[in-house]
Amino acid sequence: MSMNVGSPAAGADPEPMMEMNMTPLIDVMLVLIIMLIITIPKQNHSVNLNMPVGAPPPLVSTPPVVITVDVDFDGTILWNNEVVPDRAALEAKMNAVSAMPDADQPEVHLRPNKLVEYKYVAGVMATAQRLGVKKIGMVGNEQFQ
């Protein structure tokens, strides 16, 4: 193994350097990273909330008035366990409920029988919606599972 030490042969050009000097590039990148870290705004992990001031409103101590509307398997409608003879009587009772102010309106719980045809239940719900009953809900849905 021999090593060529000394000057190149007479008249020959020196070989160009094939490696790039990375030191200045790394220095510039480090300075840019430090400047970026310094200029990033502080992250704030809090959420600004406007909390209510004063005492909370009193809890309602009286339970709401509940009207139970049952639809039997043959389409018979019961209003608080009393048979409603026809659609006009049902509409009169629903009108009485919808005439009350929204805050005082009783809750209407509709409880259909498992075997009743859908048209009877849909008729009661459509009547309630048309006449403006605001608080209506279905009760006994666990029987349909």
Side-chain angles (χ1 to χ4, degrees), residues 48-59:
N48 295 329
L49 296 175
N50 294 329
M51 299 300 289
V53 180
L59 296 174

Side-chain angles (χ1 to χ4, degrees), residues 70-78 84 87 116-117 120-121 124:
D70 294 316
V71 182
D72 210 1
F73 68 94
D74 59 352
T76 305
I77 299 172
L78 302 164
V84 177
R87 183 69 59 187
V116 70
E117 292 182 24
Y120 298 114
V121 179
V124 172

